[in-house]
Amino acid sequence: MTALAVALSLVLSQGYAPQRQGLDPLEAEKEARVMRLGKQLRCAVCQGVSIADSPASMARAQLDKVRELVAEGKSDEQINAYFIERYGEWVLLEPTKGGLNAVLWVGPLALLGVGLLVIVLQSRRRPAALVTAPAEAAPAPSPDDALLAQVRADLEK
């Protein structure tokens, strides 16, 4: 019993993942398409890894499903829709650029534009606030100046 547990843990610790589940390989062009689509879909088990790059058995099964759908002649949009329907839009490594996701794509650029506009407006306003009185006008003496003069006079005595 312990030998079986040790063997199983050794196999699992080596990152073993079963290869394709018995599907015949497609011709090179279609297989390249499968891999391209697989790189666009997120593995449900791994963090931020595509199903084409993941060693997880679930990712292998998903990649086999992509291979099956490509063999059936489905379009890229239909294959993506198939996975979105089952896993939600989260399954896409790159979110779509339409709908509410447009805010995610346009938002940073809009914030950058607003920031630049604020900087330009502040820089135009700043020099006007720094304009001082003409150089000929002497500043009015403060009460501290008279006190300082008295202290200096007392120290010289």
Side-chain angles (χ1 to χ4, degrees):
M1 183 69 166
T2 40
L4 178 62
V6 169
L8 183 60
S9 66
L10 284 174
V11 168
L12 291 176
S13 68
Q14 296 299 316
Y16 171 76
Q19 296 303 313
R20 289 182 293 153
Q21 310 271 329
L23 291 177
D24 294 330
L26 302 173
E27 56 256 13
E29 183 179 311
K30 287 186 178 181
E31 195 64 35
R33 182 173 166 225
V34 167
M35 295 310 289
R36 182 177 46 77
L37 287 168
K39 292 215 180 266
Q40 297 172 0
L41 298 171
R42 183 185 317 269
C43 174
V45 178
C46 306
Q47 291 288 334
V49 177
S50 70
I51 62 173
D53 297 329
S54 173
S57 59
M58 182 174 183
R60 292 288 156 223
Q62 289 174 321
L63 197 58
D64 286 342
K65 187 62 180 178
V66 171
R67 189 172 285 110
E68 179 184 317
L69 293 171
V70 166
E72 290 175 8
K74 303 282 185 190
S75 70
D76 291 359
E77 292 79 21
Q78 289 173 322
I79 294 171
N80 283 337
Y82 173 87
F83 281 94
I84 290 171
E85 181 180 315
R86 280 154 186 76
Y87 299 100
E89 198 168 317
W90 174 86
V91 77
L92 299 176
L93 278 173
E94 183 177 310
T96 59
K97 294 176 178 84
L100 188 57
N101 287 341
V103 173
L104 296 174
W105 288 99
V106 176
L109 294 175
L111 286 175
L112 182 64
V114 167
L116 288 173
L117 182 65
V118 167
I119 289 171
V120 167
L121 291 176
Q122 287 296 326
S123 66
R124 286 185 180 175
R125 189 179 306 168
R126 185 62 85 182
L130 293 178
V131 172
T132 59
E136 301 97 32
S142 70
D144 291 337
D145 291 340
L147 181 62
L148 185 59
Q150 181 65 38
V151 169
R152 286 187 180 151
D154 289 343
L155 285 175
E156 290 177 3
K157 289 185 186 180

Short mmCIF file of all heavy atoms in Angstrom, two decimals, residues 83-139:
data_model
loop_
_atom_site.label_atom_id
_atom_site.label_comp_id
_atom_site.label_asym_id
_atom_site.label_seq_id
_atom_site.Cartn_x
_atom_site.Cartn_y
_atom_site.Cartn_z
N PHE A 83 -16.23 27.81 -25.53
CA PHE A 83 -15.56 27.86 -24.23
C PHE A 83 -16.12 28.98 -23.35
O PHE A 83 -16.21 28.82 -22.13
CB PHE A 83 -14.04 28.00 -24.41
CG PHE A 83 -13.39 26.69 -24.77
CD1 PHE A 83 -13.17 26.35 -26.09
CD2 PHE A 83 -13.02 25.80 -23.78
CE1 PHE A 83 -12.59 25.13 -26.41
CE2 PHE A 83 -12.43 24.59 -24.09
CZ PHE A 83 -12.22 24.24 -25.42
N ILE A 84 -16.49 30.11 -23.94
CA ILE A 84 -17.08 31.21 -23.16
C ILE A 84 -18.41 30.78 -22.57
O ILE A 84 -18.73 31.10 -21.42
CB ILE A 84 -17.23 32.48 -24.03
CG1 ILE A 84 -15.85 33.07 -24.34
CG2 ILE A 84 -18.10 33.51 -23.33
CD1 ILE A 84 -15.88 34.19 -25.36
N GLU A 85 -19.18 30.01 -23.34
CA GLU A 85 -20.47 29.53 -22.87
C GLU A 85 -20.31 28.63 -21.65
O GLU A 85 -21.11 28.66 -20.72
CB GLU A 85 -21.16 28.76 -23.99
CG GLU A 85 -22.53 28.22 -23.65
CD GLU A 85 -23.14 27.48 -24.82
OE1 GLU A 85 -23.07 27.97 -25.95
OE2 GLU A 85 -23.67 26.37 -24.58
N ARG A 86 -19.25 27.83 -21.61
CA ARG A 86 -19.05 26.89 -20.52
C ARG A 86 -18.30 27.47 -19.33
O ARG A 86 -18.57 27.10 -18.20
CB ARG A 86 -18.31 25.66 -21.04
CG ARG A 86 -19.29 24.73 -21.74
CD ARG A 86 -18.65 23.87 -22.78
NE ARG A 86 -19.64 23.11 -23.52
CZ ARG A 86 -20.43 23.59 -24.46
NH1 ARG A 86 -20.36 24.86 -24.78
NH2 ARG A 86 -21.30 22.83 -25.08
N TYR A 87 -17.33 28.36 -19.58
CA TYR A 87 -16.48 28.86 -18.51
C TYR A 87 -16.63 30.35 -18.25
O TYR A 87 -16.02 30.87 -17.33
CB TYR A 87 -15.00 28.57 -18.84
CG TYR A 87 -14.70 27.10 -18.98
CD1 TYR A 87 -14.60 26.51 -20.23
CD2 TYR A 87 -14.52 26.31 -17.86
CE1 TYR A 87 -14.32 25.16 -20.36
CE2 TYR A 87 -14.24 24.96 -17.98
CZ TYR A 87 -14.15 24.39 -19.24
OH TYR A 87 -13.87 23.06 -19.36
N GLY A 88 -17.36 31.05 -19.08
CA GLY A 88 -17.47 32.50 -18.95
C GLY A 88 -16.34 33.19 -19.70
O GLY A 88 -15.40 32.54 -20.18
N GLU A 89 -16.41 34.50 -19.77
CA GLU A 89 -15.41 35.26 -20.53
C GLU A 89 -14.04 35.19 -19.87
O GLU A 89 -13.03 35.50 -20.49
CB GLU A 89 -15.87 36.71 -20.69
CG GLU A 89 -15.13 37.41 -21.79
CD GLU A 89 -15.75 38.74 -22.15
OE1 GLU A 89 -16.99 38.82 -22.24
OE2 GLU A 89 -14.98 39.69 -22.33
N TRP A 90 -13.99 34.76 -18.63
CA TRP A 90 -12.72 34.61 -17.92
C TRP A 90 -11.77 33.67 -18.67
O TRP A 90 -10.56 33.78 -18.55
CB TRP A 90 -13.01 34.06 -16.52
CG TRP A 90 -11.79 33.71 -15.75
CD1 TRP A 90 -11.05 34.57 -14.98
CD2 TRP A 90 -11.15 32.45 -15.66
NE1 TRP A 90 -9.99 33.90 -14.43
CE2 TRP A 90 -10.03 32.58 -14.83
CE3 TRP A 90 -11.40 31.20 -16.21
CZ2 TRP A 90 -9.18 31.54 -14.53
CZ3 TRP A 90 -10.56 30.15 -15.91
CH2 TRP A 90 -9.46 30.34 -15.08
N VAL A 91 -12.32 32.74 -19.42
CA VAL A 91 -11.50 31.72 -20.10
C VAL A 91 -10.58 32.33 -21.16
O VAL A 91 -9.56 31.74 -21.51
CB VAL A 91 -12.39 30.60 -20.69
CG1 VAL A 91 -13.07 31.06 -21.97
CG2 VAL A 91 -11.60 29.33 -20.93
N LEU A 92 -10.90 33.52 -21.63
CA LEU A 92 -10.06 34.17 -22.63
C LEU A 92 -8.88 34.85 -21.94
O LEU A 92 -9.07 35.61 -21.00
CB LEU A 92 -10.86 35.22 -23.42
CG LEU A 92 -12.07 34.71 -24.21
CD1 LEU A 92 -12.81 35.88 -24.84
CD2 LEU A 92 -11.64 33.71 -25.25
N LEU A 93 -7.67 34.58 -22.42
CA LEU A 93 -6.50 35.23 -21.83
C LEU A 93 -6.48 36.72 -22.15
O LEU A 93 -5.97 37.52 -21.38
CB LEU A 93 -5.21 34.57 -22.34
CG LEU A 93 -4.82 33.29 -21.62
CD1 LEU A 93 -3.64 32.63 -22.30
CD2 LEU A 93 -4.49 33.55 -20.17
N GLU A 94 -7.04 37.10 -23.29
CA GLU A 94 -7.16 38.52 -23.65
C GLU A 94 -8.64 38.83 -23.77
O GLU A 94 -9.31 38.29 -24.65
CB GLU A 94 -6.46 38.79 -24.99
CG GLU A 94 -6.48 40.24 -25.39
CD GLU A 94 -5.71 40.48 -26.68
OE1 GLU A 94 -4.57 40.04 -26.78
OE2 GLU A 94 -6.29 41.11 -27.57
N PRO A 95 -9.18 39.68 -22.89
CA PRO A 95 -10.62 39.96 -22.93
C PRO A 95 -11.02 40.64 -24.24
O PRO A 95 -10.20 41.27 -24.90
CB PRO A 95 -10.85 40.88 -21.73
CG PRO A 95 -9.51 41.41 -21.37
CD PRO A 95 -8.49 40.45 -21.86
N THR A 96 -12.29 40.49 -24.57
CA THR A 96 -12.80 41.13 -25.78
C THR A 96 -12.73 42.64 -25.62
O THR A 96 -12.71 43.16 -24.51
CB THR A 96 -14.26 40.71 -26.05
OG1 THR A 96 -15.04 41.08 -24.93
CG2 THR A 96 -14.37 39.22 -26.31
N LYS A 97 -12.72 43.34 -26.73
CA LYS A 97 -12.57 44.80 -26.70
C LYS A 97 -13.91 45.53 -26.78
O LYS A 97 -13.94 46.73 -26.89
CB LYS A 97 -11.65 45.23 -27.83
CG LYS A 97 -10.24 44.72 -27.65
CD LYS A 97 -9.35 45.07 -28.82
CE LYS A 97 -7.95 44.61 -28.60
NZ LYS A 97 -7.69 43.24 -28.96
N GLY A 98 -15.00 44.82 -26.72
CA GLY A 98 -16.31 45.45 -26.83
C GLY A 98 -17.07 45.42 -25.52
O GLY A 98 -16.65 44.81 -24.54
N GLY A 99 -18.21 46.10 -25.49
CA GLY A 99 -19.06 46.10 -24.31
C GLY A 99 -18.43 46.79 -23.13
O GLY A 99 -17.74 47.80 -23.26
N LEU A 100 -18.65 46.24 -21.95
CA LEU A 100 -18.12 46.82 -20.73
C LEU A 100 -16.60 46.72 -20.67
O LEU A 100 -15.94 47.54 -20.03
CB LEU A 100 -18.74 46.12 -19.51
CG LEU A 100 -18.44 46.71 -18.15
CD1 LEU A 100 -18.86 48.17 -18.09
CD2 LEU A 100 -19.14 45.92 -17.06
N ASN A 101 -16.03 45.75 -21.38
CA ASN A 101 -14.56 45.61 -21.40
C ASN A 101 -13.89 46.78 -22.12
O ASN A 101 -12.69 46.99 -21.96
CB ASN A 101 -14.15 44.31 -22.07
CG ASN A 101 -14.44 43.11 -21.20
OD1 ASN A 101 -14.61 43.24 -20.00
ND2 ASN A 101 -14.50 41.95 -21.80
N ALA A 102 -14.65 47.53 -22.90
CA ALA A 102 -14.07 48.69 -23.58
C ALA A 102 -13.51 49.69 -22.56
O ALA A 102 -12.52 50.36 -22.82
CB ALA A 102 -15.11 49.36 -24.47
N VAL A 103 -14.16 49.75 -21.40
CA VAL A 103 -13.68 50.63 -20.34
C VAL A 103 -12.28 50.20 -19.90
O VAL A 103 -11.41 51.04 -19.64
CB VAL A 103 -14.65 50.62 -19.14
CG1 VAL A 103 -14.10 51.40 -17.96
CG2 VAL A 103 -16.00 51.17 -19.56
N LEU A 104 -12.06 48.89 -19.84
CA LEU A 104 -10.74 48.38 -19.45
C LEU A 104 -9.67 48.73 -20.48
O LEU A 104 -8.52 48.93 -20.13
CB LEU A 104 -10.79 46.86 -19.27
CG LEU A 104 -11.68 46.35 -18.15
CD1 LEU A 104 -11.74 44.83 -18.17
CD2 LEU A 104 -11.20 46.84 -16.81
N TRP A 105 -10.05 48.78 -21.74
CA TRP A 105 -9.09 49.09 -22.80
C TRP A 105 -8.88 50.58 -22.96
O TRP A 105 -7.77 51.04 -23.20
CB TRP A 105 -9.57 48.48 -24.13
CG TRP A 105 -9.44 47.00 -24.15
CD1 TRP A 105 -10.43 46.09 -23.92
CD2 TRP A 105 -8.26 46.24 -24.41
NE1 TRP A 105 -9.95 44.83 -24.02
CE2 TRP A 105 -8.61 44.88 -24.32
CE3 TRP A 105 -6.95 46.56 -24.71
CZ2 TRP A 105 -7.69 43.86 -24.52
CZ3 TRP A 105 -6.03 45.53 -24.90
CH2 TRP A 105 -6.42 44.20 -24.81
N VAL A 106 -9.96 51.36 -22.84
CA VAL A 106 -9.89 52.80 -23.09
C VAL A 106 -9.61 53.58 -21.80
O VAL A 106 -9.01 54.65 -21.84
CB VAL A 106 -11.21 53.28 -23.75
CG1 VAL A 106 -11.21 54.79 -23.95
CG2 VAL A 106 -11.40 52.58 -25.08
N GLY A 107 -10.01 53.02 -20.66
CA GLY A 107 -9.87 53.71 -19.38
C GLY A 107 -8.47 54.22 -19.08
O GLY A 107 -8.31 55.40 -18.76
N PRO A 108 -7.44 53.39 -19.18
CA PRO A 108 -6.09 53.90 -18.89
C PRO A 108 -5.66 55.04 -19.81
O PRO A 108 -5.03 55.99 -19.36
CB PRO A 108 -5.19 52.67 -19.08
CG PRO A 108 -6.10 51.51 -18.86
CD PRO A 108 -7.43 51.94 -19.36
N LEU A 109 -6.02 54.95 -21.07
CA LEU A 109 -5.67 56.03 -22.00
C LEU A 109 -6.43 57.31 -21.65
O LEU A 109 -5.87 58.40 -21.72
CB LEU A 109 -5.96 55.61 -23.44
CG LEU A 109 -5.10 54.46 -23.98
CD1 LEU A 109 -5.57 54.05 -25.36
CD2 LEU A 109 -3.65 54.86 -24.00
N ALA A 110 -7.70 57.17 -21.27
CA ALA A 110 -8.48 58.34 -20.89
C ALA A 110 -7.91 58.98 -19.62
O ALA A 110 -7.80 60.21 -19.54
CB ALA A 110 -9.94 57.95 -20.67
N LEU A 111 -7.53 58.16 -18.66
CA LEU A 111 -6.93 58.71 -17.42
C LEU A 111 -5.61 59.40 -17.71
O LEU A 111 -5.31 60.44 -17.13
CB LEU A 111 -6.73 57.60 -16.40
CG LEU A 111 -8.00 57.09 -15.72
CD1 LEU A 111 -7.69 55.90 -14.82
CD2 LEU A 111 -8.67 58.19 -14.93
N LEU A 112 -4.83 58.85 -18.62
CA LEU A 112 -3.57 59.48 -19.00
C LEU A 112 -3.83 60.83 -19.66
O LEU A 112 -3.16 61.82 -19.35
CB LEU A 112 -2.78 58.57 -19.95
CG LEU A 112 -1.42 59.07 -20.39
CD1 LEU A 112 -0.49 59.17 -19.20
CD2 LEU A 112 -0.84 58.14 -21.43
N GLY A 113 -4.83 60.89 -20.53
CA GLY A 113 -5.18 62.15 -21.18
C GLY A 113 -5.66 63.19 -20.18
O GLY A 113 -5.27 64.36 -20.25
N VAL A 114 -6.49 62.78 -19.23
CA VAL A 114 -6.97 63.71 -18.20
C VAL A 114 -5.80 64.20 -17.35
O VAL A 114 -5.71 65.39 -17.03
CB VAL A 114 -8.05 63.04 -17.33
CG1 VAL A 114 -8.35 63.85 -16.08
CG2 VAL A 114 -9.32 62.82 -18.14
N GLY A 115 -4.88 63.31 -17.02
CA GLY A 115 -3.71 63.71 -16.23
C GLY A 115 -2.85 64.72 -16.96
O GLY A 115 -2.40 65.71 -16.38
N LEU A 116 -2.63 64.50 -18.25
CA LEU A 116 -1.86 65.45 -19.05
C LEU A 116 -2.56 66.80 -19.14
O LEU A 116 -1.92 67.85 -19.07
CB LEU A 116 -1.59 64.89 -20.44
CG LEU A 116 -0.58 63.75 -20.52
CD1 LEU A 116 -0.54 63.17 -21.92
CD2 LEU A 116 0.79 64.22 -20.08
N LEU A 117 -3.88 66.78 -19.29
CA LEU A 117 -4.66 68.01 -19.35
C LEU A 117 -4.53 68.79 -18.04
O LEU A 117 -4.33 70.01 -18.05
CB LEU A 117 -6.12 67.70 -19.65
CG LEU A 117 -7.05 68.90 -19.79
CD1 LEU A 117 -6.65 69.74 -21.01
CD2 LEU A 117 -8.49 68.44 -19.91
N VAL A 118 -4.61 68.10 -16.92
CA VAL A 118 -4.47 68.76 -15.61
C VAL A 118 -3.07 69.37 -15.48
O VAL A 118 -2.92 70.50 -15.01
CB VAL A 118 -4.75 67.76 -14.46
CG1 VAL A 118 -4.31 68.31 -13.12
CG2 VAL A 118 -6.23 67.41 -14.43
N ILE A 119 -2.05 68.65 -15.91
CA ILE A 119 -0.68 69.16 -15.83
C ILE A 119 -0.52 70.41 -16.68
O ILE A 119 0.06 71.41 -16.24
CB ILE A 119 0.33 68.07 -16.26
CG1 ILE A 119 0.39 66.98 -15.19
CG2 ILE A 119 1.71 68.66 -16.49
CD1 ILE A 119 1.17 65.76 -15.59
N VAL A 120 -1.06 70.39 -17.89
CA VAL A 120 -0.95 71.55 -18.78
C VAL A 120 -1.69 72.74 -18.18
O VAL A 120 -1.17 73.86 -18.16
CB VAL A 120 -1.49 71.21 -20.19
CG1 VAL A 120 -1.69 72.46 -21.03
CG2 VAL A 120 -0.55 70.24 -20.89
N LEU A 121 -2.90 72.53 -17.68
CA LEU A 121 -3.66 73.63 -17.09
C LEU A 121 -2.97 74.18 -15.85
O LEU A 121 -2.93 75.40 -15.65
CB LEU A 121 -5.08 73.17 -16.76
CG LEU A 121 -5.98 72.88 -17.96
CD1 LEU A 121 -7.32 72.33 -17.50
CD2 LEU A 121 -6.16 74.10 -18.82
N GLN A 122 -2.40 73.33 -15.03
CA GLN A 122 -1.71 73.79 -13.83
C GLN A 122 -0.42 74.53 -14.19
O GLN A 122 -0.08 75.51 -13.54
CB GLN A 122 -1.39 72.61 -12.91
CG GLN A 122 -2.59 72.05 -12.20
CD GLN A 122 -3.23 73.04 -11.25
OE1 GLN A 122 -2.56 73.86 -10.63
NE2 GLN A 122 -4.55 73.01 -11.17
N SER A 123 0.27 74.08 -15.21
CA SER A 123 1.51 74.76 -15.58
C SER A 123 1.23 76.14 -16.19
O SER A 123 2.02 77.06 -16.03
CB SER A 123 2.32 73.92 -16.56
OG SER A 123 1.65 73.79 -17.79
N ARG A 124 0.10 76.31 -16.84
CA ARG A 124 -0.27 77.63 -17.38
C ARG A 124 -0.70 78.57 -16.26
O ARG A 124 -0.47 79.76 -16.32
CB ARG A 124 -1.40 77.50 -18.39
CG ARG A 124 -0.94 76.91 -19.69
CD ARG A 124 -2.04 76.93 -20.69
NE ARG A 124 -1.58 76.36 -21.96
CZ ARG A 124 -2.35 76.15 -22.99
NH1 ARG A 124 -3.62 76.47 -22.93
NH2 ARG A 124 -1.86 75.64 -24.09
N ARG A 125 -1.33 78.05 -15.26
CA ARG A 125 -1.82 78.87 -14.16
C ARG A 125 -0.69 79.23 -13.19
O ARG A 125 -0.68 80.28 -12.61
CB ARG A 125 -2.90 78.11 -13.40
CG ARG A 125 -3.61 78.95 -12.39
CD ARG A 125 -4.69 78.19 -11.66
NE ARG A 125 -5.61 77.56 -12.60
CZ ARG A 125 -6.50 76.66 -12.26
NH1 ARG A 125 -6.60 76.27 -11.02
NH2 ARG A 125 -7.31 76.14 -13.16
N ARG A 126 0.29 78.40 -13.03
CA ARG A 126 1.36 78.58 -12.05
C ARG A 126 2.20 79.84 -12.28
O ARG A 126 2.41 80.58 -11.35
CB ARG A 126 2.24 77.33 -12.06
CG ARG A 126 3.32 77.29 -11.03
CD ARG A 126 2.80 77.32 -9.64
NE ARG A 126 2.45 76.01 -9.16
CZ ARG A 126 1.94 75.83 -7.97
NH1 ARG A 126 1.71 76.85 -7.17
NH2 ARG A 126 1.65 74.65 -7.56
N PRO A 127 2.67 80.15 -13.49
CA PRO A 127 3.49 81.36 -13.66
C PRO A 127 2.74 82.64 -13.29
O PRO A 127 3.34 83.55 -12.74
CB PRO A 127 3.86 81.36 -15.14
CG PRO A 127 3.79 79.93 -15.54
CD PRO A 127 2.68 79.36 -14.71
N ALA A 128 1.46 82.74 -13.53
CA ALA A 128 0.70 83.94 -13.19
C ALA A 128 0.64 84.12 -11.68
O ALA A 128 0.66 85.24 -11.17
CB ALA A 128 -0.71 83.84 -13.76
N ALA A 129 0.62 83.05 -10.93
CA ALA A 129 0.56 83.14 -9.48
C ALA A 129 1.91 83.53 -8.90
O ALA A 129 1.98 84.03 -7.79
CB ALA A 129 0.11 81.80 -8.90
N LEU A 130 2.98 83.33 -9.63
CA LEU A 130 4.31 83.63 -9.13
C LEU A 130 4.78 85.04 -9.45
O LEU A 130 5.88 85.42 -9.07
CB LEU A 130 5.33 82.63 -9.69
CG LEU A 130 5.18 81.18 -9.22
CD1 LEU A 130 6.20 80.31 -9.90
CD2 LEU A 130 5.31 81.08 -7.72
N VAL A 131 3.96 85.82 -10.14
CA VAL A 131 4.35 87.19 -10.47
C VAL A 131 4.45 87.98 -9.17
O VAL A 131 3.55 87.98 -8.35
CB VAL A 131 3.31 87.83 -11.43
CG1 VAL A 131 3.61 89.31 -11.63
CG2 VAL A 131 3.29 87.08 -12.74
N THR A 132 5.59 88.68 -8.99
CA THR A 132 5.82 89.43 -7.74
C THR A 132 5.76 90.92 -8.03
O THR A 132 5.70 91.36 -9.18
CB THR A 132 7.19 89.07 -7.15
OG1 THR A 132 8.20 89.38 -8.10
CG2 THR A 132 7.24 87.60 -6.77
N ALA A 133 5.88 91.69 -6.97
CA ALA A 133 5.87 93.15 -7.08
C ALA A 133 7.13 93.60 -7.81
O ALA A 133 8.12 92.88 -7.85
CB ALA A 133 5.80 93.76 -5.69
N PRO A 134 7.12 94.80 -8.37
CA PRO A 134 8.32 95.31 -9.07
C PRO A 134 9.52 95.35 -8.12
O PRO A 134 9.37 95.50 -6.91
CB PRO A 134 7.92 96.71 -9.53
CG PRO A 134 6.45 96.78 -9.39
CD PRO A 134 6.00 95.71 -8.48
N ALA A 135 10.71 95.29 -8.70
CA ALA A 135 11.94 95.21 -7.92
C ALA A 135 12.21 96.50 -7.14
O ALA A 135 12.87 96.46 -6.12
CB ALA A 135 13.11 94.89 -8.83
N GLU A 136 11.69 97.67 -7.60
CA GLU A 136 11.99 98.93 -6.91
C GLU A 136 11.30 99.01 -5.56
O GLU A 136 11.80 99.65 -4.64
CB GLU A 136 11.52 100.14 -7.75
CG GLU A 136 12.13 100.25 -9.11
CD GLU A 136 11.21 99.68 -10.19
OE1 GLU A 136 9.98 99.74 -10.05
OE2 GLU A 136 11.74 99.16 -11.16
N ALA A 137 10.16 98.39 -5.40
CA ALA A 137 9.42 98.50 -4.15
C ALA A 137 10.09 97.64 -3.10
O ALA A 137 10.25 96.44 -3.27
CB ALA A 137 7.97 98.07 -4.36
N ALA A 138 10.48 98.25 -2.01
CA ALA A 138 11.10 97.51 -0.92
C ALA A 138 10.00 96.96 -0.03
O ALA A 138 8.98 97.61 0.18
CB ALA A 138 12.01 98.43 -0.13
N PRO A 139 10.23 95.80 0.51
CA PRO A 139 9.20 95.24 1.39
C PRO A 139 9.10 96.05 2.67
O PRO A 139 10.07 96.64 3.14
CB PRO A 139 9.71 93.82 1.67
CG PRO A 139 11.17 93.85 1.37
CD PRO A 139 11.36 94.92 0.34
#
